């Protein structure tokens, strides 16, 4: 070996070096394989791969996969996007004019209908006018009860006179005096009654996909004042629910009074209201007396105002007035929300207790309940003359005003519209419509959320119960939509009505969305599965892959040579 | 003593005489030997059934009432207990053991059985789940494996329509539950005065759960009297035994420290007594204590909220010779005092006073403290060794001169599998030791075998314990192996087995005239700790990895056998990659070597030759590179 040559070109000598032993052992090449062995080996490798890919992989995927029931995703999305239902509200009106002939009334209803439809194009209410005689019951084909009955009273009728209009609390009727005979005037009156309803429905729909109708994008009310009031009403009210638990509690800082005539007070003030609201929700009532109720340490507490001689509660303290940590105001058992009504009777030393700025004694806690303070009169006569019962029991007379406050708060808390002020029946009907709409909207968005969730998390299991619930929900949604368009708002024997269907749909959709077994395996991702099986897959996979690659290369070379040869 | 019991249970017996007040409360205090004090709080509220059904609550707690209505519970008994009642030195149990629970949480209730078994189970589950929320306890873990249906051990306390038909008794225990302050707070919230006035103001979590023995109970039952409307009564009790000295330690310095030498009281009669050696002198007589020292606060105000409640608030069962001082702020209205019984003093808290305190001074009383002997002594142990099987051994000792009939109830978890054929009940007389043990035949036996993961064992025996003798009850059991996920986080601690409940039946009045009690009483053994075989919890992963490795090894070798081509060693073709790598390696090695040679000899020819040889050999590639080096070394 010449060292200089190494210095000059190591690379060359290295190449030469390779040649040396190879040329030395020239005969040591393996014998060429027969085509048969080659085929056998390739068959073996191929069958291994076939088993792995055809049997092992599907089996592995199948055993580690999660069950996903099929959901009608496109229908769910249609609802979420507002395409499945064009929300319109039928508003059948019956006109009754005592003493008129049928022809006259048909004519009036025709012109009324034209007037109301003229400006009703962008409104959500579909007015239909039906004619009813004074005595005979109207024929209302395919529609529910009329949403409004307009009664035109004859001149000189004792009920009404002149250009006045009147509403009866218990019935959904508009009584018009003899001065109002023109169709335009009547239409104005009807509009006056229905416009708050239109606004409220438009408010509910605005901002949702349902606002896009065939008439263009629905705008919320232009009136900022009414929007603010609708906002306030909406934030105060509880979520729509089939059942509300009303809990009336008397809180007393000391020992007395320890009893109240709540049963009488409830019977006098609450029961009629709750009976009227029975078409909207069910109500359960519980009462309790809690002694030794102290204020929460987080509030400053009432301060004595020398000028007025009253104890004043600062406005900032109102939110912390209810001592949630200590006062036993646990929600009632069972489905539905609990509405709390708290009556606080301050200790004689702290009486009278009022809210500082307004001087009021009651306030409403949005979506929670109402609070009222009852300041008992300072006993003018010495206590001795009164019996023990007077001292320890609040009489029904004491509670009169409080129950009125509570009734007022209850209407606000369930979201009862404040207008038309005259007729409770009309207000409740309006509430039914709004409720059904709100439930329908929330159900649609829940279904949309579920559909997005299913799409986003491919690992989440979907049990059959979810599919069933979604199906139920969609069915009820369709019914609710039809009922709204047909004016079947309330529950009848044969039909759940729009509200009932919307409630059923909402319950089913919530059940589907909050299905507990869907949460369980979100935290068992593919990475885990792979990590656990790496000890198996690694050592098995490497020889398989190498053998496969080698055979593939060999086959490829063989093919190329064949091609070259030819 | 009989009267004392009357006062301890005022609601049960006094109510028969007086019209029931809607709410009453009572505290019974009794010093126990060796410096202990028993304090029994009792709060009874009631409501008419019609008000209850229409959900108008006054003193009856609304939260509990709603739970009972929702789950259709007719009668409820709930117990939270901690510690052990030392009946050897403290005597018989308060309230005949009826308001006492086994360690942990115990609940039994009569539910409306309308709707069949599934409906009852649904109600039971709703009841325990709601109570779990109300009392911040793990009651929701009382599932079907922890629920039994005892036959003989319990009887309804209330008066039920139809004499108890249409009701079903379910019983559940949670021996593992640690009762603590978070259970006391909701308990106090159920009271009308909420621990802010009256005797409940003494209940403070720090003191109650510092006690040697403590049990809280809630009992709801309907009570009917002839000619009156039925009422639903809730009785809440807290029974505690406090170590007087321990609870009187100063609040600002709760850490126990050695006392200064000057303050030690030494027994100077000991021969080794010296200035630096002290044998503590035994305390003589009764210790001095006061309510405010023991509970940290005096009684605040009073909780006389119901009309017609004239019963005393506090009763003190002490020797007539002991001096008692009652301090109260505010008015000086005299307290009710000195009932007919000599040993009992009763007090009524004043309505206007702000604070009331009762204090006793240290006194030496000659008279031996009166103690009632318990009806029965009971203890239970697990015998055997190893992780496979064991045995249960219960000892019931009847100290009385008359035989007693008892009901022995065990509810065992399913993973403890008893063998009933090994059940032996043997009786030994305690008077003479040479007599052989005689087998006792149970009068009745109820046994529900366990089903794995579905139901626990329920064993109930009606036995007669002969007079002055000890009965030993033994049986063997197997320990089941649990599934990996069934072990709790602290698996190596062992598993709690619920205490056995022993009901001592009342004697027939004509058989042994006036000797025994006319009412039945209860006692419970302590809970047991059952060690189960616990696996290494990384086991599943180890198993997966090990089996995977074994499979991979087997697969690899078989696959290679099938796929590889076998040729002679010389015939192995060199792969292009290996050749290239070897070439690079050889070059690097040669370069390094030449560099070394240069540094060593500065142009030494030999070194170069070595480098050249190395390079050449390296060029040969592969393994031969090393042999090439070896060869070149030989050349040198």
């Amino acid at each position: 070996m010449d060292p200089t040559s190494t210095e000059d070109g190591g690379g060359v000598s290295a190449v030469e070096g390779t040649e040396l032993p190879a040329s030395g052992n020239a005969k040591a090449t393996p014998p060429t394989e027969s085509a048969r062995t080659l085929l056998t080996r390739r068959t073996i490798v191929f069958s291994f791969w076939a088993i792995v890919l055809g049997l092992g992989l599907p089996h592995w995927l199948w055993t580690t996969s999660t069950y996903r029931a099929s959901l009608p995703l496109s229908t769910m999305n249609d609802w979420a996007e507002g395409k499945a239902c064009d929300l319109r509200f039928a508003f059948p009106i019956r006109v009754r004019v005592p003493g008129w002939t049928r022809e006259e009334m048909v004519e009036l209803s025709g012109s009324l209908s034209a007037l109301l439809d003229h400006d009703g194009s962008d409104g959500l209410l579909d007015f239909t006018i039906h004619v009813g005689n004074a005595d005979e019951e109207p024929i209302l084909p395919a529609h529910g009860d009329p949403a409004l009955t307009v009664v035109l009273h004859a001149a000189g009728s004792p009920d009404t006179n002149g250009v006045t209009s009147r509403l009866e609390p218990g019935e959904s009727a508009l009584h018009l005096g003899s001065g109002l005979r023109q169709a335009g005037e009547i239409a104005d009156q009807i509009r006056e009654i229905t416009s708050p309803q239109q606004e409220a429905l438009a408010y509910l729909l605005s901002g949702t996909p349902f606002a896009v109708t065939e008439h263009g994008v629905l705008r919320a009310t232009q009136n900022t004042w009414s929007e603010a009031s609708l906002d306030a009403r909406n934030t105060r009210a509880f979520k729509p629910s089939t059942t509300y638990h009303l809990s009336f509690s008397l809180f007393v800082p000391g020992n007395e009074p320890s009893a109240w005539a709540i049963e009488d007070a409830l019977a006098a003030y609450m029961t009629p209201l709750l009976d009227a609201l029975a078409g909207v929700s069910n109500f359960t009532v519980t009462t309790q007396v809690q002694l030794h109720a102290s204020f929460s340490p987080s509030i400053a507490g009432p301060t004595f105002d020398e000028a007025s001689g009253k104890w004043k509660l600062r406005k900032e303290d109102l939110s912390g007035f209810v001592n949630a940590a200590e006062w036993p105001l646990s929600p009632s058992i069972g489905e539905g929300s609990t509405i709390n009504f708290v009556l606080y009777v301050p200790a004689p030393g702290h009486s009278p207790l009022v809210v500082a700025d307004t001087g009021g004694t009651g306030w409403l806690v949005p979506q929670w309940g109402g609070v009222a303070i009852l300041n008992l009169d300072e006993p003018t006569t010495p206590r001795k003359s009164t019996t023990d019962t007077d001292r320890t029991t609040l009489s029904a007379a004491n509670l009169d005003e409080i129950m009125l406050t509570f009734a007022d708060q209850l209407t606000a808390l369930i979201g009862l519209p404040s207008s038309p002020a005259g007729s409770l029946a009309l207000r409740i009907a309006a509430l039914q419509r709004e409720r059904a709409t709100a439930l329908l909207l929330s159900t649609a968005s829940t279904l949309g959320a579920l559909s997005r969730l299913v799409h986003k998390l491919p690992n989440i299991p979907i049990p059959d119960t979810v599919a069933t619930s979604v199906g139920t929900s969609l069915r009820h949604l369709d019914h609710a939509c039809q009922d709204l368009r047909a004016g079947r708002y309330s529950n009848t024997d044969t039909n759940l009505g729009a509200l009932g269907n919307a409630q059923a749909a909402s319950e089913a959709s919530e059940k589907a969305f909050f299905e507990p077994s869907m949460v369980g395996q979100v935290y068992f991702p593919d990475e885990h599965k792979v990590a656990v099986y790496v000890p198996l897959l690694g050592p098995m996979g490497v020889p398989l892959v190498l053998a496969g690659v080698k055979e593939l290369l060999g086959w490829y070379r063989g093919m190329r040579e064949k091609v070259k040869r030819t | 003593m009989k009267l004392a019991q009357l006062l301890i249970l005022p609601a049960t017996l006094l109510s028969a005489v007086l019209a029931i007040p809607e709410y009453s409360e009572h505290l019974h205090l009794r010093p126990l030997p060796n410096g202990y004090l028993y304090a029994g709080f009792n709060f009874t509220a009631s409501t008419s059934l019609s008000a209850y059904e229409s959900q108008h609550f006054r003193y009856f707690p609304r939260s509990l009432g709603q739970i009972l209505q929702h789950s259709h519970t007719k009668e409820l008994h709930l117990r939270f207990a901690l510690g052990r009642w030392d009946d050897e030195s403290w005597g018989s149990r308060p309230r005949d053991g009826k308001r006492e629970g086994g360690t942990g949480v115990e609940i039994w209730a009569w539910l409306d059985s309308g709707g069949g078994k599934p409906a009852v189970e649904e109600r039971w589950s709703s009841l325990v789940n709601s109570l779990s929320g109300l009392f911040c306890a793990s009651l929701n873990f009382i599932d079907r494996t922890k629920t039994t249906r005892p036959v003989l051990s319990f009887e309804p306390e209330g008066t039920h329509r139809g004499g108890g038909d249409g009701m079903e008794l379910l019983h559940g225990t949670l021996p593992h539950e640690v009762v603590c302050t978070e259970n006391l707070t909701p308990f106090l919230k159920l009271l009308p005065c909420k621990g802010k006035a009256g005797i409940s103001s003494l209940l403070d979590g720090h003191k109650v759960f510092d006690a040697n023995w403590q049990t809280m109970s809630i009992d709801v039952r309907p009570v009917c009297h002839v000619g009156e409307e039925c009422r639903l009564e809730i009785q809440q009790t807290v029974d505690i035994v406090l170590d007087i000295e321990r609870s009187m330690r100063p609040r600002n310095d709760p850490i126990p420290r050695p006392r200064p030498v000057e303050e030690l009281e030494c027994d100077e009669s000991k021969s080794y007594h010296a200035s630096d050696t002290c044998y503590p002198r035994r305390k003589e007589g009764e210790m001095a204590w006061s309510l405010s020292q023991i509970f940290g606060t005096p009684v605040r105000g009073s909780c006389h909220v119901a009309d017609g409640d004239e019963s005393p608030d506090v009763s003190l069962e002490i020797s007539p010779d002991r001096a008692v001082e009652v301090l109260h702020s505010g008015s000086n209205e005299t307290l009710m005092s000195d009932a007919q019984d000599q040993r009992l003093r009763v007090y009524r808290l004043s309505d206007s006073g702000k604070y009331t305190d009762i204090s006793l001074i240290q006194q030496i009383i000659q008279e031996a403290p009166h103690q009632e002997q318990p009806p029965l002594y009971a203890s239970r142990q697990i015998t055997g060794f190893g992780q496979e099987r064991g045995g249960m051994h219960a000892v019931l000792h009847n100290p009385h001169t008359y035989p007693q009939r008892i009901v022995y109830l065990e509810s065992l978890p399913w993973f403890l599998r008893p063998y009933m054929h090994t059940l032996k009940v043997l009786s030994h007389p305690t008077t003479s030791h040479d007599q052989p043990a005689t087998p006792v035949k149970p009068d009745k036996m109820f046994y529900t075998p366990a089903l794995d993961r579905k139901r626990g064992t329920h064993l109930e025996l009606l036995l007669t314990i002969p007079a002055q003798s000890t009965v030993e009850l033994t049986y063997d059991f197997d320990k089941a192996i649990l599934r990996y996920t069934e072990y709790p986080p602290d698996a190596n601690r062992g598993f709690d087995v619920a205490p056995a409940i022993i009901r001592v039946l009342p004697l027939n009045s004509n058989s042994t005239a006036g000797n025994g009690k006319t009412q039945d009483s209860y006692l419970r053994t302590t809970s047991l700790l059952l060690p189960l075989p616990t696996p290494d919890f990384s086991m599943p992963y180890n198993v997966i990895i090990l089996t995977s490795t074994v499979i991979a090894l087997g697969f690899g070798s078989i696959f290679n056998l099938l796929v590889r081509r076998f040729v002679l060693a010389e015939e192995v073709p060199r792969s292009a990659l290996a050749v290239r790598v070897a070439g690079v390696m050889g070059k690097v090695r040669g370069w390094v070597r030449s560099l070394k040679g240069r540094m060593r000899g500065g142009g030494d020819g030999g070194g170069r030759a070595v480098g050249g040889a190395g390079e050449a050999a390296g060029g040969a590639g592969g393994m031969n590179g090393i042999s090439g080096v070896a060869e070149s070394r030989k050349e040198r």
Side-chain angles (χ1 to χ4, degrees), chain A residues 417-561:
Chain A
S418 52
S419 57
S423 168
L424 184 63
L426 280 176
R427 287 167 68 191
I428 290 172
L431 176 65
Q432 276 183 344
R433 272 188 282 278
E434 284 174 30
R435 274 280 177 86
T437 315
L439 282 168
L440 201 140
L441 293 177
S442 79
T443 310
S445 83
T446 309
L447 288 176
L450 181 63
S451 147
R452 282 198 299 281
L453 177 84
V454 167
H455 185 70
K456 274 263 173 68
L457 297 173
N459 268 325
I460 199 166
I462 307 169
D464 279 330
T465 50
V466 171
T468 325
S469 297
V470 167
T472 318
S473 183
L474 287 173
R475 203 173 60 244
H476 281 293
L477 273 183
D478 280 332
H479 286 309
C481 183
Q482 286 160 19
D483 285 341
L484 282 181
R485 297 173 69 92
R488 292 186 294 264
Y489 295 113
S490 50
N491 197 340
T492 58
D493 292 337
T494 50
N495 191 354
L496 278 176
L499 181 57
N501 273 316
Q503 263 163 356
S506 165
E507 273 164 27
S509 71
E510 300 274 304
K511 207 175 136 201
F513 190 78
F514 293 106
E515 168 69 39
S517 62
M518 271 171 56
V519 188
Q521 291 188 3
V522 174
Y523 304 105
F524 191 59
D526 280 338
E527 295 95 288
H528 269 200
K529 286 185 240 168
V530 172
V532 168
Y533 288 107
V534 152
L536 180 67
L537 300 181
M540 275 175 72
V542 168
L544 266 179
V545 168
L546 285 183
V549 165
K550 199 176 165 192
E551 291 308 315
L552 270 180
L553 277 176
W555 173 76
Y556 174 68
R557 267 187 209 132
M559 289 295 285
R560 211 167 52 177
E561 267 172 36

Side-chain angles (χ1 to χ4, degrees), chain B residues 450-468:
Chain B
L451 293 176
D452 276 4
R453 295 177 180 85
K454 283 188 188 136
R455 192 172 70 190
T457 309
H458 156 228
L459 171 66
E460 232 171 344
L461 296 172
L462 180 66
L463 293 173
T464 305
I465 311 246
Q468 288 187 317

Side-chain angles (χ1 to χ4, degrees), chain A residues 159-492:
Chain A
D159 286 354
T160 39
N161 46 24
V163 289
T164 58
S165 64
R166 186 166 57 85
L167 291 163
E168 287 291 324
E171 51 184 280
S172 50
L174 172 68
H175 297 268
L176 294 178
S178 55
L180 298 164
R181 275 294 175 273
Q182 295 299 314
E185 290 167 347
I186 299 170
D188 281 344
Q189 292 287 337
I190 292 173
R191 244 176 257 142
E192 196 183 311
I193 285 177
T194 54
S195 69
Q197 174 79 87
Q198 297 256 31
E199 276 178 13
L201 290 173
Y203 170 81
L204 279 177
L205 290 183
S206 65
T208 69
F210 287 88
V212 187
T213 62
E214 52 200 76
H215 309 290
V217 177
L218 190 87
R219 272 166 303 141
T221 167
Q222 294 87 348
N223 188 339
T224 45
W225 178 83
S226 77
E227 190 177 343
S229 79
L230 283 167
D231 253 340
R233 202 176 97 197
N234 207 33
T235 42
R236 273 178 200 164
F238 273 84
K239 284 210 180 71
S241 160
T242 38
T243 310
Y244 289 109
H245 306 282
L246 307 186
S247 148
F248 293 88
S249 316
L250 168 67
F251 282 91
V252 180
N255 263 350
E256 294 168 342
S258 65
W260 52 342
I262 186 69
E263 284 175 69
D264 301 340
L266 283 177
Y269 292 95
M270 278 293 161
T271 317
L273 178 63
L274 296 184
D275 287 346
L277 288 169
V280 182
S281 287
N282 300 322
F283 292 93
T284 67
V285 176
T286 72
T287 69
Q288 63 173 341
V289 178
Q290 293 293 342
L291 310 176
H292 294 277
S294 54
F295 290 127
S296 147
S298 63
I299 66 166
T303 46
F304 189 66
D305 183 40
E306 295 278 349
S308 57
K310 284 176 178 172
W311 288 83
K312 298 247 165 133
L313 204 57
R314 291 189 302 136
K315 212 165 182 183
E316 305 88 82
D317 285 352
L318 294 188
S319 56
F321 182 83
V322 172
N323 188 350
E326 283 186 31
W327 295 8
L329 289 165
S330 50
S332 293
I333 300 181
E335 306 223 332
S337 326
T338 304
I339 307 183
N340 294 287
F341 293 102
V342 169
L343 172 61
Y344 185 81
V345 179
H350 281 168
S351 186
L353 179 68
V354 293
V355 181
D357 299 339
T358 59
T361 55
W363 64 93
L364 187 136
V365 184
Q367 303 190 11
W368 184 84
V371 183
I373 297 171
L374 174 63
N375 292 305
L376 291 174
D377 295 331
E378 283 296 308
T380 43
T381 50
R383 279 243 163 123
K384 292 238 161 81
S385 66
T386 58
T387 60
D388 260 12
T389 328
D390 283 338
R391 201 153 47 93
T392 57
T393 309
L394 291 178
S395 66
N398 286 133
L399 296 173
D400 278 351
E401 253 181 77
I402 301 298
M403 292 322 279
L404 286 175
T405 314
F406 282 164
D408 202 39
Q409 287 172 344
L410 176 65
T411 57
L413 286 165
I414 61 168
L416 194 69
S418 52
S419 57
S423 168
L424 184 63
L426 280 176
R427 287 167 68 191
I428 290 172
L431 176 65
Q432 276 183 344
R433 272 188 282 278
E434 284 174 30
R435 274 280 177 86
T437 315
L439 282 168
L440 201 140
L441 293 177
S442 79
T443 310
S445 83
T446 309
L447 288 176
L450 181 63
S451 147
R452 282 198 299 281
L453 177 84
V454 167
H455 185 70
K456 274 263 173 68
L457 297 173
N459 268 325
I460 199 166
I462 307 169
D464 279 330
T465 50
V466 171
T468 325
S469 297
V470 167
T472 318
S473 183
L474 287 173
R475 203 173 60 244
H476 281 293
L477 273 183
D478 280 332
H479 286 309
C481 183
Q482 286 160 19
D483 285 341
L484 282 181
R485 297 173 69 92
R488 292 186 294 264
Y489 295 113
S490 50
N491 197 340
T492 58

Side-chain angles (χ1 to χ4, degrees), chain A residues 58-146:
Chain A
H59 192 256
W60 185 53
L61 287 178
W62 176 62
T63 47
T64 56
S65 70
T66 46
Y67 178 74
R68 284 163 76 93
S70 71
L71 293 179
L73 291 179
S74 63
T75 326
M76 287 159 77
N77 287 333
D78 280 353
W79 272 103
E81 287 153 20
K83 290 182 204 149
C85 176
D86 181 23
L87 274 179
R88 304 287 295 173
F89 302 84
F91 200 87
I93 300 173
R94 181 170 66 162
V95 184
R96 251 172 58 185
V97 192
W100 277 23
T101 62
R102 193 160 181 86
E103 286 70 40
E104 281 176 306
M105 288 193 346
V106 167
E107 195 195 326
L108 174 69
S109 75
S111 49
L112 258 184
S113 186
L115 274 170
L116 287 171
D117 279 349
H118 172 68
D119 57 4
S121 59
D122 66 329
L124 288 157
L125 298 179
D126 278 339
F127 295 105
T128 46
I129 313 286
H130 302 276
V131 176
N133 273 342
D135 330 305
E136 75 183 70
E137 280 304 303
I139 306 115
L140 288 165
H143 285 287
D145 290 333

Side-chain angles (χ1 to χ4, degrees), chain B residues 576-625:
Chain B
L577 185 73
V579 169
R580 205 169 296 159
V581 168
V584 171
M585 287 290 287
K587 223 197 268 176
V588 168
R589 208 170 285 141
W591 182 71
V592 166
R593 202 158 292 139
S594 68
L595 201 73
K596 263 189 198 164
R598 233 179 261 168
M599 283 173 76
R600 208 183 292 155
D604 179 18
R608 286 195 183 196
V610 170
E615 234 166 39
M623 306 290 278
N624 294 357

Side-chain angles (χ1 to χ4, degrees), chain B residues 361-401:
Chain B
I361 51 163
Q362 183 174 4
Q363 264 183 316
I364 296 174
I365 306 289
Q366 296 305 323
E367 182 200 1
H370 178 85
Q371 281 236 26
E372 206 183 354
Q373 204 172 25
L376 202 72
Y377 296 99
S379 65
R380 190 175 66 148
Q381 307 83 34
I382 283 179
T383 58
F385 52 86
Q387 301 208 312
E388 209 178 337
R389 52 182 72 91
M392 195 70 87
H393 181 234
V395 183
L396 308 167
H397 170 53
N398 179 7
H400 297 281
T401 53

